[in-house]
Every structure is written in C-alpha cells, then in structure tokens.
Amino acid sequence: MGSTNPIALSVGGAQYNQGVRIWIDMDASGTYEPTESVFATSGSALSHSGNIIIPGVGSTAAPVRMRVMCTYNSVASDAQACTSNLNTYGETEDFLVQLVGSCDATTTVPMTVASNLGNAITTSWPSVSGGSWYEFRYKETASATWIFGGTLGGAATSKTFSGLTPSTSYDLDARVHCTGGVAGAWSSITEVTNAASGCGLAPATSAASSGTSATISWPAVAGAGYYQFRYKETVSATWISGGTAGAAATSKSYNGLTPGTSYDFEARTFCTNGVASAWGAIVFTTSALAGCELAPTLDLTATVTNTSIQISWPSVAGAAWYGFQYKESSSATWINGGTAGAAATAKTYSGLTPGVSYDFQARTYCSNGIPSAWSAMASYTTSGGAARLITSTDKVEAEVVYKSSILANHATNVYPNPATDRVNIEIYMDATNTNTVVQLMDMSGRIVQSNTIQTVAGMNTIVMDMNSVAEGMFMLVIYQNGSLLHTSKLKKN
C-alpha cells in the first residue's frame, strides 16, 4: 500500500473495444466508494496498460475485494461500481486481494474508535508496514489549538486519549513515521465523548475534620480500580500527594494538619484499564484544638534532688495517655521519656547528673492513638550535694563557699587564682576509684568545662587547661560520687 503497481489488460476479443475501471474496497466496508477507484483507462481499446495507484493507508488485516469492470465503447465513472448493463455489453469480476503496505509521505493511519468512556477514547488501527513509530495529537473540535498526544512504537495498534471532557466533540489525529525517517500524512477522526459514568466519575467526597486531622469519605464508584488523592492549604499553590486507596475503600484519614486552616482536597477514580477520571474537589477547614488535641502544660517548677527531677502538669480533658521526652540542655539529642496514664499528673526521672540543666517536653494522646504537638519546653536543674569542710593547714583559695561538714581534715587547694593558661586542683580522697566530677561554670550557670576523673586514696592533683576559656569570673564546682565536695570562685585573666 502507498505504492504504484503496473497493470496490463486484454479485452473485447478481436473487435469490441472496451474501457476498464478498477475499485478496491480498502476499508472492507462491503461498498465500493468513488474514492476507492484505483485505475481507469482513458478510453476504449482492445488492450490497456497503466498503473494501479493504491494510497498509503496501512496493511489490511484480511484480504479485501477488488472489482474490475469492462464496458463496451465507454469507461464507467468512479460512482458506477454497482451499475449493471452499461452500454449493453461488458463484464464485471470481483477478486480477493491482500494489500501489503509500504511507508511514505502519503501513508495514513486508519484509526477507528474502540471504546468511549466519557473521559477517555481508545482508538485502534491495523499495523502500518514500514512504520517505525506513531505520533498523536488531539483537540476539542471547537478549539484551534492542538494538544500533543504522545508517541508509540511501531508495533502499537491502539492508543487511549484520556483526561477528556465528557459529552464533548474531539478531533483525534495520528500519523506514522517511516523507518526511513519520512513522516506520513496526518489522519483524523472526530468523536463525541460519552457522558461520564462508572469509573469515569470522580468519587463524591466529604470531610470530617478536627484540629490536626481529617477523614475523607465517599460512596464506592462502580468499576473503580483504585482512587488517588491530593491536598494543600487553600492559600498554597503546591499540591501534596495524598496517596491512593483500593477499589473497596470508602474513607481515608490524614494527620499532621494545621488547626483552624482551610484545605483544598481532590480525588479521582482510576478504571481497571488505568484511565483516570477528572479530579473532584472539596474544601474544608480544620477546627481549633480542643481536649486531647492539646499538649499538656508542664509546670514551671519541679521537685528536684541531686539525681532526680519530678515534673508535673494539670490533667488534659479526654487524654488517653501522655508521652514525654527529655535531654540535657546542652545536648541536641532528645531521649524517650516514656509514657504516663490518663489519670497521671506527675512523673519522676532518676539517675540524672547533679547540677545539670535538663529540658522536658510532653504531649497528649487521644484514644485513637493520634498525639498532640509537643508542649513548650520546660527546663529544670538538678541540685548539688553538701560540701566538705576544709580544715587542714594547706593553702586554700579565697572566697570558698561551704554548705555543711560531711568529712573533716580533708583539703582542696586551687592555684594559681587568678589563672592564665591552667589551674592546679589538689584534692585529698579517702578511697581509690572515687568518681570525681570537676566543672567550670560561668556566672550564669552555663557549664564551660566538665571533666570526670577516677581519683585514688590520698592526695590527687588535677590540671585544668584554661587556654580556651575566655577572661572573666567563674565558679569551680567539684562532686564526689554525686555529692557536692567543693565550690569556689575562679578568675581567668
């Protein structure tokens, strides 16, 4: 097909001149159309030769009929394929022929409509011999602007145009690109999309929302393969993927929303063949937080000891339980602080380090397992233990603060004071393997340096590097096995 084929004919015996016309039923419709005339002689004679010109419309899937008509002293018109007794004498014969295509600039793609779902039209065509790939475009018939419809490989014989508007007339075009790089001619069909039905319909969604969550519901759509969702804050231009739900689903929940905020929500149905409906839209506004959606308010004061902190809070209406996290104020890493039941209003944390600031946060859990946001951070500092009274005759720095006497005849000596590059700390201990913590704090209570040393029985000398410490007044604090041993002022020049 899409070719010129030579032909030679002898007619009329030795004395009856006849004209010849040939038709081929290329669309296999059973009717010889005037446009299907492929050969005609210029007049009457006993023999004829010429070319049968077959347009490039792709190979036929099955043999089609070819009609050859001879008429005495005349040539039938292209519309007279089914007229008998033209000029009294003549002959008409039908033959079955198989048309095998070739590909050139005249080759077209004979598309027909295979299905019409309202929002999508699927077309099909016989394979075009010599075609490398197909190109498509489409538009609403009333529009002058074509939309690129993508491409398919040379083996394809069907194409679905999706995302169409139901009950609308569309022009659908296709052309083949030959293996030699030549593009065939555009071929076009016009089809009116059906009214949307079944899986061509978007789900009719509704929303039930709270402060931070929303549940979207819809009645099942007949023929749905699955559903797809997206949402955004109404004031935003950016959609967030809302995931998918199976064909049997009729609801989907979303958490982590902002209270008192308007949201746009859209859903669409996918048919089992992968064709999607148009998006269906709703708008809803989340409510202000209430009840178990509110985080507990941690009290500003806490019960503290050297190694423990008890936090407290007023109960939250509707709470199922509470969750907690904490960390040293100087750390960026939160520690899981466990949970407390709905009736609880206090929780104690033990095994903490003396004289250290800790940050705490809490949140409320509703009975559906959805938590509130974390509460505002509350900070508390563990207390220190009692100091040892220094009574030896060794040199002792000035301005030492003592709280009580827990061990006599032991001395702590700090020098030089003021310091420049280092400080020597002499401590007398009763036993070996004593866990001694030496901390340097600025006057706001922030820890500048902290060192832990395993001291031995007798006199121990600890050297603290001061090179990285800024000039100013500091507090030197020493703990022995969790109890405060020594506190004094230290100046850095």
Side-chain angles (χ1 to χ4, degrees):
M1 300 179 70
S3 62
T4 299
N5 302 272
I7 186 173
L9 304 112
S10 297
V11 296
Q15 52 184 331
Y16 300 107
N17 293 334
Q18 299 189 46
V20 178
R21 183 175 290 274
I22 300 175
W23 295 262
I24 297 178
D25 183 16
M26 287 175 288
D27 61 2
S29 66
T31 301
Y32 294 106
E33 307 291 341
T35 55
E36 294 177 322
S37 173
V38 295
F39 175 80
T41 61
S42 59
S44 299
L46 295 178
S47 63
H48 301 280
S49 63
N51 293 302
I52 294 179
I53 300 175
I54 302 176
V57 293
S59 302
T60 55
V64 294
R65 291 185 177 276
M66 179 178 72
R67 174 160 292 183
V68 181
M69 178 181 288
C70 301
T71 54
Y72 176 65
N73 273 339
S74 66
V75 180
S77 72
D78 56 12
Q80 292 180 315
C82 294
T83 302
S84 61
N85 295 320
L86 288 176
N87 280 1
T88 306
Y89 301 106
E91 184 177 355
T92 301
E93 298 285 349
D94 280 358
F95 305 89
L96 287 176
V97 294
Q98 176 73 54
L99 302 180
V100 178
S102 60
C103 191
D104 59 25
T106 66
T107 304
T108 58
V109 181
M111 287 195 303
T112 58
V113 173
S115 68
N116 183 332
L117 297 177
N119 63 331
I121 294 174
T122 297
T123 61
S124 61
W125 60 91
S127 176
V128 175
S129 178
S132 177
W133 54 282
Y134 298 96
E135 180 182 7
F136 305 91
R137 65 184 183 183
Y138 67 100
K139 66 180 181 69
E140 291 188 10
T141 302
S143 172
T145 303
W146 287 99
I147 301 168
F148 177 63
T151 61
L152 289 172
T157 56
S158 67
K159 162 72 177 175
T160 298
F161 297 86
S162 57
L164 308 182
T165 303
S167 303
T168 302
S169 178
Y170 280 89
D171 297 335
L172 311 174
D173 274 17
R175 67 176 176 182
V176 65
H177 286 255
C178 305
T179 54
V182 175
W186 284 107
S187 57
S188 181
I189 58 174
T190 298
E191 179 79 0
V192 177
T193 51
N194 294 330
S197 62
C199 59
L201 294 168
T205 52
S206 60
S209 64
S210 62
T212 59
S213 63
T215 297
I216 309 299
S217 303
W218 62 92
V221 177
Y226 64 96
Y227 304 96
Q228 185 182 39
F229 310 94
R230 65 183 183 182
Y231 67 97
K232 65 180 182 71
E233 292 188 8
T234 301
V235 297
S236 173
T238 304
W239 287 99
I240 301 168
S241 172
T244 60
T250 55
S251 67
K252 189 171 178 66
S253 295
Y254 295 88
N255 300 316
L257 306 182
T258 303
T261 301
S262 176
Y263 281 87
D264 296 338
F265 186 90
E266 292 191 350
R268 63 181 177 179
T269 308
F270 275 79
C271 300
T272 53
N273 64 356
V275 175
S277 73
W279 287 104
I282 59 171
V283 178
F284 63 86
T285 300
T286 53
S287 61
L289 293 178
C292 60
E293 295 175 332
L294 293 167
T297 303
L298 295 178
D299 293 336
L300 297 178
T301 58
T303 302
V304 300
T305 68
N306 286 0
T307 59
S308 69
I309 295 175
Q310 184 186 73
I311 61 173
S312 59
W313 61 92
S315 62
V316 177
W321 74 90
Y322 302 97
F324 306 90
Q325 63 180 10
Y326 72 99
K327 66 180 181 68
E328 292 188 9
S329 298
S330 60
S331 172
T333 304
W334 288 97
I335 301 168
N336 182 359
T339 61
T345 57
K347 187 173 178 66
T348 299
Y349 292 86
S350 303
L352 308 181
T353 304
V356 173
S357 175
Y358 286 87
D359 300 332
F360 288 83
Q361 286 186 314
R363 61 183 177 184
T364 309
Y365 280 82
C366 299
S367 58
N368 60 3
I370 298 175
S372 71
W374 286 107
S375 69
M377 188 170 64
S379 299
Y380 315 101
T381 302
T382 51
S383 61
R388 297 188 186 202
L389 178 64
I390 302 174
T391 59
S392 74
T393 59
D394 292 341
K395 182 176 68 174
V396 180
E397 73 280 12
E399 300 181 276
V400 178
V401 180
Y402 303 104
K403 295 188 176 179
S404 66
S405 175
I406 63 170
L407 192 60
N409 300 318
H410 290 177
T412 300
N413 189 21
V414 180
Y415 64 93
N417 188 3
T420 54
D421 59 344
R422 69 177 188 173
V423 171
N424 299 304
I425 305 166
E426 294 180 348
I427 307 174
Y428 186 88
M429 296 294 178
D430 288 326
T432 300
N433 295 327
T434 301
N435 187 28
T436 303
V437 178
V438 180
Q439 293 181 338
L440 187 67
M441 297 182 180
D442 62 21
M443 301 310 290
S444 69
R446 183 177 66 89
I447 298 174
V448 178
Q449 283 195 36
S450 180
N451 300 285
T452 301
I453 303 99
Q454 293 294 317
T455 51
V456 298
M459 184 61 69
N460 295 262
T461 300
I462 302 169
V463 178
M464 179 176 286
D465 185 4
M466 300 291 287
N467 285 303
S468 62
V469 179
E471 294 183 359
M473 189 66 69
F474 298 88
M475 292 297 295
L476 180 68
V477 183
I478 303 174
Y479 298 94
Q480 177 188 359
N481 292 334
S483 297
L484 183 65
L485 174 66
H486 170 84
T487 327
S488 63
K489 289 183 180 179
L490 175 63
K491 185 177 181 181
K492 163 68 188 296
N493 288 338

